[in-house]
């Protein structure tokens, strides 16, 4: 590895990371275009090292930017431009808390050309040109593995560069549009009707002179600006997508807008997309979906604000044991509750907090009455869905604040199963308000993001200085 150069200021360090990465990408394109493949050995990721010279006690309420002891903390970074604001904030917090030296330079980790945009074609005889390798893709830091925290340098960031790169590639693969416009507040849904309502909201906002939003990116890649929005109606737009998880980015100048993704059905999809989005360090993600109500006093359209999670989705059991409690995030809970009051006014549906049970069996209710009785008799659940627990557990695991606001669409234990005609009538009556509750909540959170920086997502062991 070449010598790391000392950076006197945080901004200088971040700019240097970006400069080194861009220089490597430019060299890769030239190497592949000219056939001078020997030059590719200089196509490497940049590395940043922070030397905390002296440990000192700091404000104990700090949610990040602290360390347990002095020493060297390092990270090899990919696509630093995507993380510019994040890196600046995290390094600023760390250097304000402790006397530090920052060093930036090249690492010895080669960048596979498949992870470089517009790199050009790769020859069949690659020689020294590296291939993407899953050997470098892991969550050892996130999951607190011993070796990740007991080397000469401790981790500064949660992800290695190829883990970051494959996640960005997967986001583009599943959503169909480039990763660059993903916003810091993310809403998940299972329904195209919710994304349509989100687009309607986005078009209305873009026509306002004082709107905080500057553009809306559709799953087709089309970008709508404020001048376009005045002339458009949602029926004129192509909102369908050939990709598995259509994504809609309502953009602000600072990146603190809202991304909505239709993730489809099931815990596997929920894990897949959050495994990838986590590398971008979003401020929060929230599920807006439908659920089966388990209480005969409920009515179709009642709202459930999940404050506990009974995990029978099984998909994350090897990463977060099923017996480990997943805490609710009160900062998200309070904002969702307030947004329901704002959106519905005096016409509030009945809303209750309670345990959400997520299952990996869509037809869970297709059992005998006795089987259901024995399954649920000791449960504290008030609602059943398929994704909320996965999104919460992966939010906890990746240190991303999370929440879920569900609407009761059926009462299968009380002879009201979800059937097509009834479901469509319910969807038509509830979709706009449901979406707007989540939108208003994240808008309020974006106005004061520090309230989301909670210590509840920090572990006893295996933590890095960055959020």
């Amino acid at each position: 590895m070449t010598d790391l150069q000392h950076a006197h200021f945080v901004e200088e360090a971040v700019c240097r990371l970006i400069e080194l990465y861009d220089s490597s990408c430019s060299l890769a394109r030239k190497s592949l275009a000219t056939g001078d493949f020997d030059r590719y050995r200089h196509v490497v990721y940049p590395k940043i090292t922070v030397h905390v010279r002296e440990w000192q006690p700091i404000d104990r309420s700090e949610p990040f930017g602290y360390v347990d002891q002095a020493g060297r903390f390092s990270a090899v970074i990919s696509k630093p431009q995507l993380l510019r604001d994040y890196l600046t904030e995290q390094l600023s917090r760390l250097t304000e808390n402790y006397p530090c030296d920052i060093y930036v330079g090249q690492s010895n980790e080669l960048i596979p050309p498949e992870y470089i945009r517009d790199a050009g074609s790769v020859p069949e005889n690659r020689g020294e040109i590296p291939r993407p390798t899953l050997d470098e893709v892991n969550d050892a830091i996130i999951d607190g593995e011993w070796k990740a925290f007991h080397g000469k340098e401790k981790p500064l960031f949660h992800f290695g560069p190829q883990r970051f790169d494959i996640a960005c590639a997967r986001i583009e693969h599943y959503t169909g549009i480039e990763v660059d416009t993903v916003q810091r507040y993310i809403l998940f849904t299972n329904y195209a009707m919710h994304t349509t309502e989100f687009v309607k909201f986005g078009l209305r906002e873009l026509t306002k002179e004082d709107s905080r939003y500057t553009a809306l990116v559709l799953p087709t890649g089309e970008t709508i600006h404020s001048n376009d929005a005045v002339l458009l109606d949602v029926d004129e737009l192509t909102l369908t997508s050939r990709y598995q998880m259509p994504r809609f980015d309502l953009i602000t100048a600072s990146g603190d807008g809202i991304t909505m993704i239709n993730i489809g059905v099931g815990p596997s999809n929920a894990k897949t997309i959050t495994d990838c989005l986590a590398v971008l360090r979003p401020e929060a993600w929230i599920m807006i979906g439908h659920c089966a109500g388990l209480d005969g006093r409920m009515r179709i359209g009642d709202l459930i604000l999940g404050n506990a999670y009974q995990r029978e989705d099984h998909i994350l059991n090897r990463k977060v044991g099923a017996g480990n409690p997943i805490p609710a995030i009160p900062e998200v809970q309070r904002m969702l509750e307030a947004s329901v009051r704002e959106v519905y006014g005096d016409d509030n549906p009945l809303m209750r907090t309670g345990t959400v049970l997520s299952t990996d069996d869509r037809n869970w209710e297709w059992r005998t009455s006795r089987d259901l009785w024995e399954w649920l008799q000791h449960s504290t659940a008030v609602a059943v869905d398929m994704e909320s627990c996965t999104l919460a557990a992966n939010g906890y695991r990746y240190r991303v604040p999370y929440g879920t606001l569900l609407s009761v669409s059926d009462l299968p234990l009380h002879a009201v199963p979800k059937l097509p005609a009834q479901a469509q009538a319910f969807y038509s009556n509830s979709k706009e308000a449901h979406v707007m509750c989540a939108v208003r909540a994240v808008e309020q959170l974006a106005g004061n993001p520090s309230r989301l920086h909670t210590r509840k997502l920090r572990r006893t062991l295996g933590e890095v200085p960055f959020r």
Side-chain angles (χ1 to χ4, degrees):
M1 184 179 70
T2 59
D3 292 338
L4 297 178
Q5 300 298 309
H6 184 264
H8 294 283
F9 303 102
V10 165
E11 292 79 5
E12 177 188 344
V14 175
C15 288
R16 182 64 176 150
L17 281 171
I18 295 170
E19 178 186 328
L20 286 172
Y21 179 79
D22 289 348
S23 176
S24 280
C25 291
S26 178
L27 178 60
R29 296 182 188 102
K30 290 177 183 176
S31 172
L32 293 173
T34 62
D36 185 1
F37 303 141
D38 186 59
R39 299 174 69 190
Y40 205 98
R41 59 193 174 89
H42 299 296
V43 177
V44 293
Y45 294 105
K47 178 179 179 179
I48 182 168
T49 298
V50 178
H51 179 207
V52 178
R53 297 195 305 272
E54 179 184 350
W55 184 88
Q56 61 191 25
I58 63 171
D59 181 353
R60 289 187 298 158
S61 67
E62 285 280 82
F64 52 84
Y66 64 84
V67 296
D68 293 329
Q69 57 185 300
R72 294 174 73 89
F73 298 80
S74 66
V76 179
I77 301 290
S78 183
K79 299 179 175 59
Q81 181 62 44
L82 281 180
L83 296 173
R84 183 173 200 143
D85 291 344
Y86 169 83
L87 291 170
T88 301
E89 179 188 21
Q90 302 306 306
L91 288 168
S92 297
R93 185 72 70 100
L94 187 58
T95 56
E96 288 166 5
N97 286 337
Y98 305 97
C100 296
D101 293 313
I102 305 176
Y103 303 92
V104 177
Q106 293 177 321
S107 74
N108 57 5
E109 295 189 44
L110 292 167
I111 309 175
E114 287 83 354
Y115 292 141
I116 297 174
R117 190 166 292 165
D118 302 321
S121 58
V122 182
E124 286 188 24
N125 182 13
R126 297 174 73 106
E128 297 300 315
I129 299 173
R131 298 178 183 274
T133 171
L134 294 178
D135 291 341
E136 300 297 329
V137 175
N138 59 70
D139 279 331
I141 299 172
I142 278 291
D143 292 328
E145 294 183 10
W146 176 268
K147 286 185 178 180
F149 287 85
H150 292 82
K152 292 182 179 178
E153 297 176 342
K154 292 188 176 182
L156 183 68
F157 184 51
H158 310 78
F159 303 97
Q162 288 209 48
R163 169 67 170 85
F164 191 96
D165 278 338
I166 198 170
C168 290
R170 288 280 177 90
I171 292 169
E172 295 183 356
H173 169 75
Y174 284 109
T175 69
I177 50 179
E178 293 179 354
V179 71
D180 308 57
T181 55
V182 173
Q183 299 296 286
R184 292 202 288 273
Y185 294 87
I186 299 172
L187 303 180
F188 298 118
T189 180
N190 311 119
Y191 294 97
M193 63 181 176
H194 285 159
T195 57
T196 299
E197 293 301 322
F198 183 69
V199 170
K200 289 179 182 178
F201 164 74
L203 293 177
R204 291 195 302 269
E205 285 295 308
L206 290 175
T207 62
K208 297 178 181 178
E209 290 186 7
D210 60 346
S211 177
R212 64 190 291 263
Y213 303 106
T214 60
L216 174 65
V217 180
L218 302 179
T220 57
E222 179 183 1
T223 300
I224 300 169
H225 298 281
S226 53
N227 292 338
D228 309 316
V230 177
L231 307 173
L232 287 173
D233 184 87
V234 70
D235 294 329
E236 302 174 88
L237 301 174
T238 302
L239 304 184
T240 56
S241 173
R242 64 187 180 88
Y243 294 92
Q244 186 174 346
M245 299 184 188
R247 189 180 103 220
F248 303 77
D249 298 330
L250 188 54
I251 296 171
T252 66
S254 59
D256 64 346
I258 309 171
T259 285
M260 178 178 274
I261 306 177
N262 182 348
I263 63 173
V265 174
S268 179
N269 283 3
K271 179 181 183 296
T272 295
I273 196 63
T274 49
D275 281 346
C276 299
L277 290 168
V279 304
L280 301 176
R281 308 316 296 147
E283 294 283 1
W285 57 50
I286 294 174
M287 178 69 192
I288 52 172
H290 294 153
C291 65
L294 299 183
D295 189 330
R297 294 166 294 179
M298 292 178 176
R299 296 294 179 265
I300 303 301
D302 286 355
L303 297 176
I304 305 294
L305 182 57
N307 69 352
Y309 300 93
Q310 183 176 336
R311 294 169 50 210
E312 301 206 14
D313 48 357
H314 305 299
I315 196 164
L316 280 165
N317 287 4
R318 293 177 62 187
K319 297 295 185 181
V320 183
N324 288 5
I326 304 298
I329 306 299
E331 294 80 2
V332 176
Q333 300 287 97
R334 286 193 289 267
M335 207 52 65
L336 284 169
E337 191 170 4
S339 71
V340 170
R341 291 194 298 268
E342 175 189 348
V343 170
Y344 282 94
D346 294 334
D347 296 325
N348 273 0
L350 182 66
M351 183 179 70
R352 62 180 292 181
T353 58
T355 300
V356 176
L357 186 161
S358 289
T359 175
D360 53 7
D361 179 4
R362 175 58 192 87
N363 297 322
W364 61 269
E365 67 267 48
W366 294 9
R367 311 186 194 187
T368 67
S369 297
R370 178 170 179 166
D371 286 342
L372 289 171
W373 179 287
E374 292 178 350
W375 182 46
L376 295 170
Q377 70 181 113
H378 300 301
S379 174
T380 61
V382 298
V384 177
D385 82 341
M386 297 191 71
E387 299 82 22
S388 292
C389 290
T390 307
L391 296 171
N394 239 10
Y396 176 76
R397 178 172 168 242
Y398 287 119
R399 288 74 158 170
V400 176
Y402 47 86
T404 182
L405 182 66
L406 304 176
S407 186
V408 175
S409 61
D410 53 300
L411 298 161
L413 302 189
H414 303 278
V416 189
K418 184 183 289 187
L419 296 173
Q422 171 188 292
Q424 292 306 316
F426 159 64
Y427 296 159
S428 178
N429 293 332
S430 68
K431 57 188 178 182
E432 180 181 4
H434 197 178
V435 169
M436 290 311 302
C437 287
V439 166
R440 295 306 182 200
V442 295
E443 285 185 324
Q444 289 297 314
L445 291 168
N448 183 10
S450 63
R451 76 181 78 190
L452 275 172
H453 297 159
T454 171
R455 288 153 57 225
K456 299 175 186 67
L457 293 177
R458 303 287 289 192
R459 294 321 121 73
T460 304
L461 300 169
E463 276 300 346
V464 302
F466 283 5
R467 174 181 68 78

